Amino acid sequence: MRARTAIVAGAVALVLAGCGAAEPGSGVTGTVTVFAAASLTGSFDRIGRDFEAAHPGSTVVFNFAGSSALATQITEGAPADVFASAAPQNMTGVDSDGTPVVFARNQLVVAVPAGNPEGVRSLADLTRPGLKVALCAEQVPCGSAARRALDVAGVTLTPVTLETDVRGALAKVRLGEVDAALVYRTDTRAAASDVTTVEFPESARAINDYPIAVLAGAPNPAAARAFVAHVRSAGSQSVLTEAGFQTP
């Protein structure tokens, strides 16, 4: 049975995960707790189910949230086995043994209500009087990427809300509370029935790398290493590509 943890406080150090994928029947069992960026929710849910099927007796427990919040939880002592961040900077404050491995990349788009009723075509359109826009807070990877893209475009934008993770920004569009939000391409693909995606060229200058690592002091280090290897396997990379992530 799969589960997601509630957000808890935590602190442990990072250790570089192994590269080789563990084979089914390798003896990997027990619970592996994975702290992962909110934008990975759909893909990691599927990858976690695949991992459990490949390793009978294992259970993957996820804590999905903004990467900056997850990093804070880890440094404050939350017990976890693996950390998958939406940007390298959120790994910086977490002590590591070696360099975390980049396993995916993600790119920003503008999410608007289905059909694009306001006719948004560019970042500059988001500055129209009366247009309500949601952004992620700048300490969150999607927020720092948005700031880079807006700076490249020379656009000054005042959002009506700053969200703690990308799911919160997208939810504002889906609920009709804003006219647009800067989110990841993967998020609009997952919500295609509710929102329309508007691509913009400046997003190519604000692509986020997603690193992953085993945490030092992990309660289940063998399963943690196996999970990281599984994320980097060809099958999991296909899951991520299908969701709209780019390969490293």
Side-chain angles (χ1 to χ4, degrees):
M1 201 73 170
R2 315 205 51 245
R4 288 187 196 164
T5 59
I7 294 180
V8 290
V12 277
L14 282 168
V15 158
L16 178 63
C19 297
E23 295 297 326
S26 62
V28 172
T29 59
T31 299
V32 54
T33 302
V34 179
F35 281 30
S39 51
L40 291 165
T41 301
S43 298
F44 265 31
D45 275 340
R46 182 174 166 186
I47 287 170
R49 289 193 297 270
D50 292 343
F51 180 84
E52 291 171 349
H55 301 283
S58 67
T59 301
V60 184
V61 177
F62 287 115
N63 177 18
F64 293 113
S67 296
S68 58
L70 294 174
T72 298
Q73 292 164 32
I74 292 166
T75 57
E76 289 180 352
D81 296 293
V82 175
F83 181 30
S85 173
Q89 62 262 34
N90 296 111
M91 291 282 190
T92 303
V94 182
D95 191 21
S96 64
D97 180 8
T99 305
V101 179
V102 174
F103 67 95
R105 293 188 168 100
N106 213 348
Q107 193 163 347
L108 291 179
V109 296
V110 180
V112 296
N116 195 4
E118 297 294 332
V120 173
R121 303 296 177 204
S122 68
L123 288 183
D125 287 344
L126 301 181
T127 64
R128 292 178 191 161
L131 199 74
K132 294 179 290 185
V133 180
L135 297 178
C136 296
E138 285 195 33
Q139 66 267 28
V140 181
C142 64
S144 60
R147 171 48 50 204
R148 295 196 306 273
L150 290 165
D151 288 346
V152 168
V155 171
T156 300
L157 178 63
T158 303
V160 296
T161 181
L162 291 170
E163 298 298 313
T164 57
D165 62 47
V166 72
R167 287 184 298 175
L170 183 64
K172 294 293 184 180
V173 178
R174 299 177 80 168
L175 293 171
E177 296 178 11
V178 299
D179 302 303
L182 283 177
V183 300
Y184 294 122
R185 181 181 292 150
T186 52
D187 297 293
T188 59
R189 183 171 295 190
S193 60
D194 299 324
V195 302
T196 292
T197 299
V198 178
E199 301 276 355
F200 57 95
E202 295 86 358
S203 66
R205 302 278 296 277
I207 295 174
N208 277 3
D209 287 343
Y210 280 54
I212 190 168
V214 175
L215 295 170
N220 192 345
R225 288 190 292 269
F227 183 81
V228 171
H230 182 75
V231 168
R232 300 180 65 201
S233 70
S236 295
Q237 288 295 302
S238 294
V239 171
L240 291 162
T241 300
E242 182 182 329
F245 288 96
Q246 301 170 17
T247 55

mmCIF file of all heavy atoms in Angstrom, residues 124-162:
data_model
loop_
_atom_site.group_PDB
_atom_site.id
_atom_site.type_symbol
_atom_site.label_atom_id
_atom_site.label_comp_id
_atom_site.label_asym_id
_atom_site.label_seq_id
_atom_site.Cartn_x
_atom_site.Cartn_y
_atom_site.Cartn_z
ATOM 1 N N ALA A 124 4.803 39.440 -21.743
ATOM 2 C CA ALA A 124 4.391 40.844 -21.705
ATOM 3 C C ALA A 124 2.882 40.978 -21.536
ATOM 4 O O ALA A 124 2.397 41.933 -20.900
ATOM 5 C CB ALA A 124 4.846 41.560 -22.977
ATOM 6 N N ASP A 125 2.116 40.014 -22.080
ATOM 7 C CA ASP A 125 0.655 40.062 -21.940
ATOM 8 C C ASP A 125 0.217 39.962 -20.487
ATOM 9 O O ASP A 125 -0.885 40.407 -20.128
ATOM 10 C CB ASP A 125 0.011 38.926 -22.735
ATOM 11 C CG ASP A 125 0.055 39.151 -24.237
ATOM 12 O OD1 ASP A 125 0.296 40.299 -24.663
ATOM 13 O OD2 ASP A 125 -0.145 38.170 -24.990
ATOM 14 N N LEU A 126 1.060 39.378 -19.641
ATOM 15 C CA LEU A 126 0.690 39.198 -18.240
ATOM 16 C C LEU A 126 0.656 40.511 -17.468
ATOM 17 O O LEU A 126 0.167 40.559 -16.337
ATOM 18 C CB LEU A 126 1.659 38.228 -17.559
ATOM 19 C CG LEU A 126 1.744 36.827 -18.160
ATOM 20 C CD1 LEU A 126 2.728 35.970 -17.373
ATOM 21 C CD2 LEU A 126 0.370 36.159 -18.203
ATOM 22 N N THR A 127 1.168 41.582 -18.065
ATOM 23 C CA THR A 127 1.180 42.887 -17.394
ATOM 24 C C THR A 127 -0.055 43.722 -17.727
ATOM 25 O O THR A 127 -0.162 44.865 -17.266
ATOM 26 C CB THR A 127 2.440 43.682 -17.784
ATOM 27 O OG1 THR A 127 2.402 43.975 -19.202
ATOM 28 C CG2 THR A 127 3.695 42.894 -17.476
ATOM 29 N N ARG A 128 -0.975 43.183 -18.507
ATOM 30 C CA ARG A 128 -2.179 43.950 -18.853
ATOM 31 C C ARG A 128 -2.934 44.368 -17.588
ATOM 32 O O ARG A 128 -3.056 43.597 -16.635
ATOM 33 C CB ARG A 128 -3.115 43.099 -19.701
ATOM 34 C CG ARG A 128 -2.632 42.763 -21.089
ATOM 35 C CD ARG A 128 -3.653 41.883 -21.760
ATOM 36 N NE ARG A 128 -3.180 41.296 -22.994
ATOM 37 C CZ ARG A 128 -3.740 40.238 -23.564
ATOM 38 N NH1 ARG A 128 -4.800 39.666 -22.993
ATOM 39 N NH2 ARG A 128 -3.260 39.750 -24.693
ATOM 40 N N PRO A 129 -3.483 45.572 -17.583
ATOM 41 C CA PRO A 129 -4.267 46.035 -16.435
ATOM 42 C C PRO A 129 -5.434 45.087 -16.163
ATOM 43 O O PRO A 129 -6.147 44.673 -17.076
ATOM 44 C CB PRO A 129 -4.770 47.418 -16.874
ATOM 45 C CG PRO A 129 -3.782 47.869 -17.894
ATOM 46 C CD PRO A 129 -3.352 46.626 -18.621
ATOM 47 N N GLY A 130 -5.589 44.717 -14.904
ATOM 48 C CA GLY A 130 -6.712 43.875 -14.504
ATOM 49 C C GLY A 130 -6.458 42.387 -14.618
ATOM 50 O O GLY A 130 -7.251 41.581 -14.105
ATOM 51 N N LEU A 131 -5.367 41.989 -15.286
ATOM 52 C CA LEU A 131 -5.066 40.568 -15.425
ATOM 53 C C LEU A 131 -4.431 40.048 -14.133
ATOM 54 O O LEU A 131 -3.426 40.591 -13.664
ATOM 55 C CB LEU A 131 -4.121 40.336 -16.603
ATOM 56 C CG LEU A 131 -4.064 38.910 -17.144
ATOM 57 C CD1 LEU A 131 -5.324 38.600 -17.947
ATOM 58 C CD2 LEU A 131 -2.840 38.703 -18.007
ATOM 59 N N LYS A 132 -5.009 39.013 -13.560
ATOM 60 C CA LYS A 132 -4.521 38.463 -12.289
ATOM 61 C C LYS A 132 -3.585 37.286 -12.559
ATOM 62 O O LYS A 132 -3.951 36.348 -13.265
ATOM 63 C CB LYS A 132 -5.696 38.023 -11.423
ATOM 64 C CG LYS A 132 -6.578 39.178 -10.966
ATOM 65 C CD LYS A 132 -7.751 38.704 -10.136
ATOM 66 C CE LYS A 132 -8.767 37.957 -10.983
ATOM 67 N NZ LYS A 132 -9.978 37.591 -10.199
ATOM 68 N N VAL A 133 -2.393 37.360 -11.978
ATOM 69 C CA VAL A 133 -1.358 36.353 -12.222
ATOM 70 C C VAL A 133 -0.854 35.779 -10.906
ATOM 71 O O VAL A 133 -0.655 36.500 -9.934
ATOM 72 C CB VAL A 133 -0.177 36.972 -12.997
ATOM 73 C CG1 VAL A 133 0.912 35.920 -13.246
ATOM 74 C CG2 VAL A 133 -0.651 37.565 -14.318
ATOM 75 N N ALA A 134 -0.645 34.458 -10.901
ATOM 76 C CA ALA A 134 -0.046 33.774 -9.756
ATOM 77 C C ALA A 134 1.376 33.353 -10.101
ATOM 78 O O ALA A 134 1.642 32.891 -11.202
ATOM 79 C CB ALA A 134 -0.872 32.547 -9.377
ATOM 80 N N LEU A 135 2.284 33.532 -9.149
ATOM 81 C CA LEU A 135 3.653 33.040 -9.271
ATOM 82 C C LEU A 135 3.987 32.211 -8.040
ATOM 83 O O LEU A 135 3.327 32.317 -7.003
ATOM 84 C CB LEU A 135 4.651 34.198 -9.364
ATOM 85 C CG LEU A 135 4.576 35.148 -10.555
ATOM 86 C CD1 LEU A 135 5.640 36.233 -10.401
ATOM 87 C CD2 LEU A 135 4.756 34.399 -11.865
ATOM 88 N N CYS A 136 5.018 31.397 -8.147
ATOM 89 C CA CYS A 136 5.584 30.763 -6.964
ATOM 90 C C CYS A 136 6.478 31.786 -6.262
ATOM 91 O O CYS A 136 7.053 32.666 -6.908
ATOM 92 C CB CYS A 136 6.427 29.553 -7.347
ATOM 93 S SG CYS A 136 5.502 28.199 -8.117
ATOM 94 N N ALA A 137 6.601 31.652 -4.957
ATOM 95 C CA ALA A 137 7.524 32.498 -4.211
ATOM 96 C C ALA A 137 8.949 32.269 -4.721
ATOM 97 O O ALA A 137 9.291 31.171 -5.161
ATOM 98 C CB ALA A 137 7.433 32.180 -2.725
ATOM 99 N N GLU A 138 9.787 33.280 -4.665
ATOM 100 C CA GLU A 138 11.116 33.202 -5.280
ATOM 101 C C GLU A 138 12.041 32.195 -4.623
ATOM 102 O O GLU A 138 12.984 31.718 -5.253
ATOM 103 C CB GLU A 138 11.774 34.585 -5.311
ATOM 104 C CG GLU A 138 11.181 35.491 -6.371
ATOM 105 C CD GLU A 138 12.052 36.702 -6.663
ATOM 106 O OE1 GLU A 138 13.274 36.588 -6.577
ATOM 107 O OE2 GLU A 138 11.477 37.767 -6.981
ATOM 108 N N GLN A 139 11.801 31.828 -3.357
ATOM 109 C CA GLN A 139 12.653 30.824 -2.726
ATOM 110 C C GLN A 139 12.323 29.414 -3.207
ATOM 111 O O GLN A 139 13.076 28.469 -2.962
ATOM 112 C CB GLN A 139 12.553 30.889 -1.199
ATOM 113 C CG GLN A 139 11.197 30.520 -0.617
ATOM 114 C CD GLN A 139 10.301 31.729 -0.417
ATOM 115 O OE1 GLN A 139 10.423 32.716 -1.124
ATOM 116 N NE2 GLN A 139 9.419 31.637 0.566
ATOM 117 N N VAL A 140 11.195 29.266 -3.904
ATOM 118 C CA VAL A 140 10.793 27.990 -4.484
ATOM 119 C C VAL A 140 11.380 27.909 -5.896
ATOM 120 O O VAL A 140 11.424 28.923 -6.607
ATOM 121 C CB VAL A 140 9.252 27.882 -4.527
ATOM 122 C CG1 VAL A 140 8.799 26.550 -5.107
ATOM 123 C CG2 VAL A 140 8.669 28.088 -3.138
ATOM 124 N N PRO A 141 11.838 26.727 -6.341
ATOM 125 C CA PRO A 141 12.453 26.640 -7.673
ATOM 126 C C PRO A 141 11.617 27.215 -8.812
ATOM 127 O O PRO A 141 12.151 27.908 -9.676
ATOM 128 C CB PRO A 141 12.682 25.136 -7.844
ATOM 129 C CG PRO A 141 12.946 24.665 -6.460
ATOM 130 C CD PRO A 141 12.017 25.468 -5.587
ATOM 131 N N CYS A 142 10.301 26.964 -8.821
ATOM 132 C CA CYS A 142 9.496 27.522 -9.914
ATOM 133 C C CYS A 142 9.431 29.037 -9.831
ATOM 134 O O CYS A 142 9.299 29.724 -10.854
ATOM 135 C CB CYS A 142 8.092 26.919 -9.939
ATOM 136 S SG CYS A 142 7.065 27.275 -8.491
ATOM 137 N N GLY A 143 9.567 29.588 -8.627
ATOM 138 C CA GLY A 143 9.579 31.037 -8.472
ATOM 139 C C GLY A 143 10.884 31.659 -8.909
ATOM 140 O O GLY A 143 10.896 32.715 -9.559
ATOM 141 N N SER A 144 12.005 31.014 -8.579
ATOM 142 C CA SER A 144 13.294 31.552 -9.014
ATOM 143 C C SER A 144 13.441 31.435 -10.526
ATOM 144 O O SER A 144 14.006 32.324 -11.178
ATOM 145 C CB SER A 144 14.443 30.834 -8.306
ATOM 146 O OG SER A 144 14.438 29.449 -8.588
ATOM 147 N N ALA A 145 12.906 30.355 -11.113
ATOM 148 C CA ALA A 145 12.924 30.216 -12.574
ATOM 149 C C ALA A 145 12.063 31.295 -13.225
ATOM 150 O O ALA A 145 12.435 31.879 -14.253
ATOM 151 C CB ALA A 145 12.443 28.831 -12.986
ATOM 152 N N ALA A 146 10.913 31.587 -12.628
ATOM 153 C CA ALA A 146 10.053 32.638 -13.161
ATOM 154 C C ALA A 146 10.751 33.990 -13.125
ATOM 155 O O ALA A 146 10.670 34.777 -14.082
ATOM 156 C CB ALA A 146 8.747 32.697 -12.372
ATOM 157 N N ARG A 147 11.474 34.261 -12.046
ATOM 158 C CA ARG A 147 12.196 35.532 -11.943
ATOM 159 C C ARG A 147 13.240 35.637 -13.044
ATOM 160 O O ARG A 147 13.392 36.691 -13.669
ATOM 161 C CB ARG A 147 12.843 35.627 -10.551
ATOM 162 C CG ARG A 147 13.816 36.779 -10.323
ATOM 163 C CD ARG A 147 13.282 38.120 -10.787
ATOM 164 N NE ARG A 147 11.953 38.377 -10.268
ATOM 165 C CZ ARG A 147 11.076 39.195 -10.845
ATOM 166 N NH1 ARG A 147 11.389 39.821 -11.982
ATOM 167 N NH2 ARG A 147 9.891 39.383 -10.317
ATOM 168 N N ARG A 148 13.978 34.544 -13.308
ATOM 169 C CA ARG A 148 14.981 34.566 -14.372
ATOM 170 C C ARG A 148 14.332 34.821 -15.730
ATOM 171 O O ARG A 148 14.824 35.628 -16.525
ATOM 172 C CB ARG A 148 15.755 33.239 -14.411
ATOM 173 C CG ARG A 148 16.590 32.979 -13.172
ATOM 174 C CD ARG A 148 17.631 31.890 -13.396
ATOM 175 N NE ARG A 148 17.090 30.642 -13.886
ATOM 176 C CZ ARG A 148 16.625 29.674 -13.108
ATOM 177 N NH1 ARG A 148 16.590 29.832 -11.786
ATOM 178 N NH2 ARG A 148 16.205 28.538 -13.638
ATOM 179 N N ALA A 149 13.218 34.161 -15.999
ATOM 180 C CA ALA A 149 12.539 34.326 -17.283
ATOM 181 C C ALA A 149 12.012 35.748 -17.452
ATOM 182 O O ALA A 149 12.132 36.345 -18.531
ATOM 183 C CB ALA A 149 11.402 33.312 -17.410
ATOM 184 N N LEU A 150 11.424 36.294 -16.408
ATOM 185 C CA LEU A 150 10.894 37.656 -16.476
ATOM 186 C C LEU A 150 12.019 38.666 -16.678
ATOM 187 O O LEU A 150 11.876 39.634 -17.432
ATOM 188 C CB LEU A 150 10.105 37.982 -15.214
ATOM 189 C CG LEU A 150 8.769 37.242 -15.049
ATOM 190 C CD1 LEU A 150 8.261 37.357 -13.624
ATOM 191 C CD2 LEU A 150 7.729 37.773 -16.034
ATOM 192 N N ASP A 151 13.154 38.440 -16.030
ATOM 193 C CA ASP A 151 14.299 39.337 -16.206
ATOM 194 C C ASP A 151 14.825 39.279 -17.629
ATOM 195 O O ASP A 151 15.156 40.324 -18.230
ATOM 196 C CB ASP A 151 15.413 38.968 -15.227
ATOM 197 C CG ASP A 151 15.082 39.343 -13.788
ATOM 198 O OD1 ASP A 151 14.125 40.112 -13.579
ATOM 199 O OD2 ASP A 151 15.784 38.849 -12.877
ATOM 200 N N VAL A 152 14.900 38.084 -18.194
ATOM 201 C CA VAL A 152 15.357 37.932 -19.578
ATOM 202 C C VAL A 152 14.415 38.658 -20.531
ATOM 203 O O VAL A 152 14.847 39.303 -21.492
ATOM 204 C CB VAL A 152 15.447 36.437 -19.960
ATOM 205 C CG1 VAL A 152 15.633 36.263 -21.468
ATOM 206 C CG2 VAL A 152 16.595 35.763 -19.219
ATOM 207 N N ALA A 153 13.106 38.573 -20.254
ATOM 208 C CA ALA A 153 12.111 39.216 -21.109
ATOM 209 C C ALA A 153 12.005 40.711 -20.861
ATOM 210 O O ALA A 153 11.358 41.433 -21.644
ATOM 211 C CB ALA A 153 10.745 38.563 -20.897
ATOM 212 N N GLY A 154 12.602 41.197 -19.776
ATOM 213 C CA GLY A 154 12.478 42.611 -19.434
ATOM 214 C C GLY A 154 11.083 42.972 -18.993
ATOM 215 O O GLY A 154 10.628 44.110 -19.200
ATOM 216 N N VAL A 155 10.393 42.027 -18.351
ATOM 217 C CA VAL A 155 9.001 42.223 -17.937
ATOM 218 C C VAL A 155 8.939 42.394 -16.422
ATOM 219 O O VAL A 155 9.508 41.606 -15.667
ATOM 220 C CB VAL A 155 8.128 41.016 -18.354
ATOM 221 C CG1 VAL A 155 6.733 41.105 -17.732
ATOM 222 C CG2 VAL A 155 8.023 40.945 -19.871
ATOM 223 N N THR A 156 8.269 43.460 -15.981
ATOM 224 C CA THR A 156 8.024 43.679 -14.565
ATOM 225 C C THR A 156 6.592 43.295 -14.260
ATOM 226 O O THR A 156 5.657 43.858 -14.832
ATOM 227 C CB THR A 156 8.263 45.148 -14.182
ATOM 228 O OG1 THR A 156 9.622 45.493 -14.477
ATOM 229 C CG2 THR A 156 7.994 45.370 -12.702
ATOM 230 N N LEU A 157 6.442 42.329 -13.365
ATOM 231 C CA LEU A 157 5.127 41.747 -13.125
ATOM 232 C C LEU A 157 4.824 41.765 -11.632
ATOM 233 O O LEU A 157 5.672 41.398 -10.811
ATOM 234 C CB LEU A 157 5.113 40.306 -13.648
ATOM 235 C CG LEU A 157 3.847 39.477 -13.467
ATOM 236 C CD1 LEU A 157 2.686 40.097 -14.238
ATOM 237 C CD2 LEU A 157 4.097 38.043 -13.939
ATOM 238 N N THR A 158 3.634 42.195 -11.275
ATOM 239 C CA THR A 158 3.192 42.174 -9.883
ATOM 240 C C THR A 158 2.104 41.114 -9.730
ATOM 241 O O THR A 158 0.960 41.335 -10.148
ATOM 242 C CB THR A 158 2.647 43.537 -9.440
ATOM 243 O OG1 THR A 158 3.653 44.535 -9.633
ATOM 244 C CG2 THR A 158 2.241 43.504 -7.973
ATOM 245 N N PRO A 159 2.427 39.956 -9.154
ATOM 246 C CA PRO A 159 1.411 38.901 -9.016
ATOM 247 C C PRO A 159 0.410 39.230 -7.920
ATOM 248 O O PRO A 159 0.715 40.008 -6.994
ATOM 249 C CB PRO A 159 2.247 37.669 -8.648
ATOM 250 C CG PRO A 159 3.428 38.240 -7.931
ATOM 251 C CD PRO A 159 3.734 39.551 -8.618
ATOM 252 N N VAL A 160 -0.766 38.631 -8.006
ATOM 253 C CA VAL A 160 -1.761 38.820 -6.951
ATOM 254 C C VAL A 160 -1.553 37.820 -5.826
ATOM 255 O O VAL A 160 -2.110 37.981 -4.731
ATOM 256 C CB VAL A 160 -3.200 38.693 -7.504
ATOM 257 C CG1 VAL A 160 -3.479 39.789 -8.505
ATOM 258 C CG2 VAL A 160 -3.445 37.309 -8.102
ATOM 259 N N THR A 161 -0.742 36.787 -6.080
ATOM 260 C CA THR A 161 -0.447 35.792 -5.050
ATOM 261 C C THR A 161 0.896 35.142 -5.327
ATOM 262 O O THR A 161 1.293 34.981 -6.488
ATOM 263 C CB THR A 161 -1.553 34.712 -4.995
ATOM 264 O OG1 THR A 161 -1.248 33.761 -3.958
ATOM 265 C CG2 THR A 161 -1.691 33.972 -6.308
ATOM 266 N N LEU A 162 1.600 34.798 -4.250
ATOM 267 C CA LEU A 162 2.850 34.045 -4.335
ATOM 268 C C LEU A 162 2.637 32.722 -3.603
ATOM 269 O O LEU A 162 2.366 32.716 -2.400
ATOM 270 C CB LEU A 162 4.007 34.824 -3.695
ATOM 271 C CG LEU A 162 4.455 36.088 -4.435
ATOM 272 C CD1 LEU A 162 5.438 36.879 -3.573
ATOM 273 C CD2 LEU A 162 5.099 35.718 -5.773
#
